[in-house]
Amino acid sequence: MVQLDLFDSFQANLEYAERELNKAKERYYAAKKLRDDNCLHTEVIKKEYYFEGSYYDKAYTDHWNECKICGAKSVVNTEYHSWYG
């Protein structure tokens, strides 16, 4: 019986921890949504992705801006190159 009581107490602790984790996640995502909805995108990074091409596909480079604070991305502009990989 002692082992069964010990197991039940571990199970209760685990369930309590899971409830607290879910509450913390809800608060985190609410705060993140508030931040993202009110972000002014004042700190922007220019990013790009280069595809070197393949036997059938020409090379291209994708360009976009990404906010450092909230991670929002601008429209991706694709620049196609004249060579194959």
Side-chain angles (χ1 to χ4, degrees), residues 49-54 57-62 81 83:
Y49 168 77
Y50 175 71
F51 174 68
E52 62 187 19
S54 65
D57 300 316
K58 289 185 177 181
Y60 65 87
T61 305
D62 288 336
H81 306 294
W83 57 88

Side-chain angles (χ1 to χ4, degrees), residues 50-80:
Y50 175 71
F51 174 68
E52 62 187 19
S54 65
Y55 185 78
Y56 296 107
D57 300 316
K58 289 185 177 181
Y60 65 87
T61 305
D62 288 336
H63 302 277
W64 70 92
N65 294 327
E66 189 171 310
C67 180
K68 285 175 62 174
I69 297 170
C70 68
K73 293 182 180 179
S74 68
V75 176
V76 177
N77 296 318
T78 303
E79 172 189 358
Y80 290 97

Side-chain angles (χ1 to χ4, degrees), residues 27-43:
R27 290 191 299 267
Y28 168 76
Y29 289 122
K32 184 177 183 304
K33 182 175 180 349
L34 181 65
R35 180 201 68 188
D36 294 348
D37 290 345
N38 295 312
C39 184
L40 299 175
H41 310 304
T42 55
E43 298 182 34

Side-chain angles (χ1 to χ4, degrees), residues 16-29:
Y16 173 76
E18 287 175 342
R19 284 193 303 272
E20 291 299 313
L21 176 63
N22 289 336
K23 288 178 190 176
K25 282 183 180 180
E26 288 176 11
R27 290 191 299 267
Y28 168 76
Y29 289 122

